[in-house]
């Protein structure tokens, strides 16, 4: 008899029918053996929703530009539910896509699953997930954290022990699994590495439905694949995160520049100081990208008037943002340490601004801006972001060709523009994440916000920036990448492309996981037959 391929939607409906039937009549050992009812738990259907509201909520993301409608949404009570779902898809004659959705903060639909199933990982928190802080002689302090947990909750759980993770993102309301699937970067990365460099161990559900514990020493191929792997190799259900002694307060300083060369030279000097600063970030200040923005409010009205005058004269000025952690033991020397580090810097005289805040308030600085924007209805708008890693050797060319000739000239940007250096030595090349070849490279973030009907214009500007870099031979790498063709992905991964393909074939051979990244398709020339 000829086999009939069943659509993903029909398969999901079949799952519900089977599970509901089982809940009524009990264990059906004599029912049609061709149907794989035995893999389902009796209450699985109650956690799988086809409701229009659930499906609509899982169809988009923070970017607000891509809508991909799933067939259903799973609200798991435990990792076993996710295993059950993926295992069913893998064993099906017509596998369907599965995407793990954390806080939905992707920009281009990366956490969507058209006609498949989106797994709302936050449901695990409502079902008893927790964060456990521990110590061992071999590992030191660490926290076991669900992949669904928000980083702000990891911070809140570890601080009462006088501890905290060492590497952060600027925004803490992101999930652990989400940032580890990318890299997790901020102004601490030059010193402590990205978040993926501070993971000891993980529990991961592969595209075969296997729940595997992995580390650098156990199942290491999966461990390195998942870190920065864009969700292609598994769903992170637990991560063991490095903790260190937490400071109590921070000295938070900003200084202004009117010369990009001096601005970047000082940043590079500051990140080279051993046991120096704990955080270094830079940003552009223009008319369309103001000094105070949703990331932080630092300057008083009188300062803003002075800054506006500088912008009028120069078009762009540059803000260097620096932080040094301290506690009671170092409180008496912190100012002296900073003044010593600032000697020889080329900032504009008299334009140095300082705050003294708690460690928590500094790390959670973006939250207050978010609350204000939500109150104004300006948070849930399209965000056509572009994040790049730019080699140090070409950052001056990038400034002229992008910041001046494209962004300043076109006057379209609305949102923060970040530019700050980090060190390649802090990244483990065995991981899936890719960075430029040079030892020092810059993290550039064009964090656009847009009206609903205007995001395509900013998207076109992003394409112009990418085209300029390509034609100028600036070997950038996208962070939180978005590409349209497999050839572009191959160029992105470069020397890692072959191993990326091999890992996909090993851990997700039927291309079930994270289809929203648009890396692979069933027509990919390398794909093995799913019947093999």
């Amino acid at each position: 008899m000829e086999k009939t391929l069943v659509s993903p939607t029909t398969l999901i409906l079949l799952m519900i029918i089977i599970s509901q039937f089982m809940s009524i009549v009990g264990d059906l050992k004599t029912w049609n053996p061709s149907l794989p009812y035995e893999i389902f738990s009796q209450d699985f259907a109650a956690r799988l929703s086809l409701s229009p509201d659930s499906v609509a909520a899982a169809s988009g993301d923070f970017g607000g530009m891509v809508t991909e409608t799933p067939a259903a949404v799973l609200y798991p009570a435990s990792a076993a539910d996710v295993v059950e779902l993926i295992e069913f898809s893998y064993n099906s004659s017509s596998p369907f896509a599965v995407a793990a959705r954390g806080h939905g903060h992707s920009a281009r639909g990366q956490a969507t699953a058209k006609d498949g199933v989106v797994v709302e990982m936050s449901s695990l928190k409502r079902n008893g997930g927790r964060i456990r802080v521990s110590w061992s002689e071999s590992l030191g302090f660490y926290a076991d954290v669900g992949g669904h947990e928000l980083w702000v909750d990891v911070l809140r759980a570890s601080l009462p022990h006088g501890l905290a993770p060492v590497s952060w993102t600027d925004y803490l309301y992101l999930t652990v699994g989400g940032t580890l699937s990318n890299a997790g970067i901020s102004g601490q990365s030059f010193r402590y590495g990205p978040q993926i460099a501070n993971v000891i161990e993980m529990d991961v559900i592969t595209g075969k439905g296997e729940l595997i514990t992995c580390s650098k020493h156990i199942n290491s191929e999966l461990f390195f694949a998942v870190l920065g792997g864009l969700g292609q190799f598994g769903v992170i259900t637990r991560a063991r995160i490095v903790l260190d002694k937490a400071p109590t307060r921070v000295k938070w300083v900003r200084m202004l520049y009117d010369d990009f060369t001096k601005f970047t030279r000082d940043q590079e000097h500051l990140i080279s100081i051993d046991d120096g600063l704990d955080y270094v970030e830079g940003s552009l200040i223009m008319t369309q990208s103001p000094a105070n923005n949703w990331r932080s409010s630092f300057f008083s009205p009188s300062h803003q008037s002075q800054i506006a005058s500088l912008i009028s004269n120069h078009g762009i000025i540059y803000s260097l943002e620096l932080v040094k952690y301290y506690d009671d033991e170092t409180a008496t020397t912190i100012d002296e340490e900073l003044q010593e580090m600032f000697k020889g810097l080329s900032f504009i005289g008299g334009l140095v601004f300082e705050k003294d805040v708690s460690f928590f308030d500094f790390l959670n600085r973006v939250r207050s801006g978010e609350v204000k924007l939500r109150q104004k209805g300006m948070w849930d708008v399209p965000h056509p972001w572009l994040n790049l890693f730019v080699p140090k050797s070409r950052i001056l060319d990038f400034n002229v060709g992008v910041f001046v000739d494209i962004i300043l000239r076109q006057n379209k940007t609305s949102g923060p523009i970040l530019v700050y250096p980090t060190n390649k030595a802090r990244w483990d090349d065995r991981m899936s994440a890719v960075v430029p070849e040079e030892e020092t490279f810059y993290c550039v973030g064009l964090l656009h916000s847009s009206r609903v009907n205007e995001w395509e214009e900013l998207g076109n500007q992003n394409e112009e920036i990418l085209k300029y870099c390509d034609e100028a031979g600036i070997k950038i790498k996208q962070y939180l990448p978005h590409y349209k063709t497999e050839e572009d992905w191959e160029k992105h991964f470069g020397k890692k492309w072959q191993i990326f393909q091999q890992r996909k074939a090993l851990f997700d051979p039927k291309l079930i996981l994270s289809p929203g990244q648009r890396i692979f398709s069933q027509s990919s020339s390398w794909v093995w037959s799913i019947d093999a």
Side-chain angles (χ1 to χ4, degrees):
M1 179 181 290
E2 183 179 349
K3 289 184 178 180
T4 301
L5 293 181
V6 182
S7 72
T9 304
T10 304
L11 279 170
I12 294 162
L13 288 170
L14 176 62
M15 291 165 63
I16 293 176
I17 292 169
I18 294 169
S19 187
Q20 289 178 335
F21 193 81
M22 286 177 62
S23 67
I24 295 171
V25 302
D27 192 10
L28 299 178
K29 295 299 183 183
T30 61
W31 202 34
N32 187 346
S34 67
L35 295 176
Y37 64 86
E38 67 275 2
I39 71 170
F40 298 116
S41 57
Q42 293 190 7
D43 55 354
F44 187 86
R47 294 192 277 275
L48 192 67
S49 174
L50 281 78
S51 78
D53 288 344
S54 295
V55 168
S59 297
D61 57 18
F62 182 69
M65 300 171 290
V66 175
T67 299
E68 296 283 11
T69 304
V73 179
L74 177 68
Y75 297 91
S78 68
D81 287 338
V82 185
V83 169
E84 192 167 352
L85 176 72
I86 297 175
E87 189 176 34
F88 176 80
S89 179
Y90 181 75
N91 290 324
S92 169
S93 61
S94 181
F96 54 86
V98 175
R101 176 185 170 94
H103 201 52
H105 208 262
S106 55
R108 295 280 181 172
Q110 287 94 334
T112 59
K114 184 177 181 181
D115 296 329
V117 181
V118 170
V119 180
E120 282 289 355
M121 298 296 286
S122 60
S123 179
L124 292 170
K125 186 176 185 69
R126 295 193 294 270
N127 286 283
R130 67 191 185 95
I131 299 165
R132 178 179 298 170
V133 175
S134 306
W135 178 88
S136 76
E137 189 170 345
S138 59
L139 300 177
F141 288 104
Y142 59 87
D144 282 308
V145 180
H148 59 280
E149 295 284 0
L150 300 179
W151 282 101
V152 68
D153 293 323
V154 179
L155 180 61
R156 287 174 173 145
S158 55
L159 278 179
H161 301 275
L163 302 166
V166 295
S167 187
W168 298 95
T169 53
D170 287 335
Y171 181 56
L172 300 188
Y173 287 75
L174 305 174
T175 61
V176 170
T179 64
L180 296 184
S181 295
N182 288 282
I185 60 171
S186 184
Q188 297 95 347
S189 299
F190 77 93
R191 181 166 180 179
Y192 301 101
Q195 290 180 319
I196 55 174
N198 293 279
V199 181
I200 300 169
E201 183 180 277
M202 293 182 292
D203 289 341
V204 173
I205 303 171
T206 71
K208 298 178 181 180
E210 299 170 328
L211 179 58
I212 298 174
T213 298
C214 57
S215 69
K216 290 181 180 180
H217 309 293
I218 301 172
N219 298 309
S220 60
E221 189 72 17
L222 179 61
F223 180 79
F224 292 121
V226 167
L227 294 172
L230 306 178
Q232 293 301 300
F233 312 107
V235 177
I236 301 170
T237 60
R238 178 186 64 91
R240 181 165 288 178
I241 306 296
V242 173
L243 300 180
D244 203 352
K245 180 183 177 182
T248 55
R249 301 197 65 79
V250 309
K251 287 285 186 178
W252 187 5
V253 181
R254 284 193 178 179
M255 46 189 66
L256 301 183
Y257 291 73
D258 56 15
D259 183 280
F260 189 77
T261 300
K262 294 177 180 177
F263 170 67
T264 53
R265 183 181 63 207
D266 283 359
Q267 286 195 80
E268 291 164 18
H269 165 68
L270 289 167
I271 71 168
S272 72
I273 300 173
D274 292 335
D275 197 27
L277 295 166
D278 295 287
Y279 168 98
V280 175
E281 278 197 5
S283 60
L284 275 59
I285 302 177
M286 301 179 288
T287 301
Q288 67 270 40
S289 185
N292 283 340
N293 52 58
W294 56 264
R295 290 182 66 255
S296 64
S297 180
F298 208 90
F299 304 101
S300 69
S302 61
H303 294 151
Q304 292 183 64
S305 176
Q306 189 177 8
I307 292 168
S309 178
L310 286 168
I311 294 172
S312 178
N313 291 333
H314 297 280
I316 305 176
I317 60 173
Y318 310 94
S319 171
L320 181 51
E321 186 176 5
L322 314 169
V323 163
K324 180 69 175 175
Y325 302 156
Y326 75 98
D327 50 31
D328 292 341
E329 296 174 359
T330 56
T332 58
T333 61
I334 182 67
D335 291 324
E336 183 180 339
E337 289 180 47
L338 286 174
Q339 290 307 311
E340 186 65 27
M341 280 187 272
F342 295 166
K343 286 181 179 179
L345 300 186
S346 301
F347 54 86
I348 302 172
L351 293 179
V352 178
F353 310 94
E354 182 180 308
K355 284 185 179 181
D356 190 312
V357 300
S358 72
F359 179 60
F360 180 89
D361 286 345
F362 167 69
L363 292 179
N364 200 36
R365 61 197 177 278
V366 176
R367 181 62 168 177
S368 60
E370 176 194 353
V371 171
K372 292 176 183 177
L373 289 177
R374 285 189 182 278
Q375 291 171 346
K376 298 177 181 178
M378 296 171 61
W379 181 258
D380 293 319
V381 299
H383 296 94
W385 286 6
L386 180 63
N387 292 275
L388 304 172
F389 294 147
V390 181
K392 168 189 167 182
S393 66
R394 302 302 301 275
I395 194 63
L396 298 184
D397 298 328
F398 188 91
N399 174 59
V400 173
V402 175
F403 293 151
V404 177
D405 288 347
I406 296 179
I407 293 177
L408 182 62
R409 173 175 53 82
Q410 295 184 4
N411 194 30
K412 296 176 182 176
T413 298
S414 177
I417 300 177
L418 309 182
V419 52
Y420 59 94
T422 193
N423 297 317
K424 187 175 187 294
R426 300 294 185 184
W427 297 66
D428 192 322
D429 198 47
R430 293 172 292 181
M431 297 175 181
S432 293
V434 289
V435 299
E437 292 297 325
E438 295 184 13
E439 178 54 37
T440 300
F441 60 91
Y442 277 78
C443 306
V444 175
L446 308 176
L447 308 184
H448 306 299
S449 296
S450 170
R451 294 184 177 89
V452 173
N453 59 347
E454 294 179 354
W455 68 262
E456 288 186 352
E457 191 174 1
L458 285 166
N460 291 336
Q461 184 186 77
N462 290 343
E463 292 299 322
E464 185 178 352
I465 291 169
L466 295 173
K467 181 180 178 182
Y468 163 78
C469 291
D470 186 53
E471 293 178 348
I474 301 176
K475 296 181 179 179
I476 60 167
K477 294 293 184 183
Q478 284 194 40
Y479 177 61
L480 311 178
H482 167 69
Y483 296 102
K484 298 177 181 178
T485 68
E486 190 167 308
E487 290 74 22
D488 287 335
W489 281 108
E490 181 176 358
K491 181 179 178 181
H492 170 76
F493 283 105
K495 66 181 183 181
K496 290 188 178 183
W497 178 239
Q498 185 175 5
I499 192 171
F500 197 86
Q501 290 178 308
Q502 292 170 349
R503 287 169 168 174
K504 186 68 171 177
L506 182 61
F507 299 117
D508 184 24
K510 297 188 179 181
L511 311 183
I512 290 169
L513 301 176
S514 296
Q517 294 284 359
R518 296 168 180 82
I519 301 176
F520 300 110
S521 68
Q522 289 290 351
S523 62
S524 299
S525 60
W526 66 273
V527 175
W528 281 256
S529 168
I530 62 173
D531 294 324

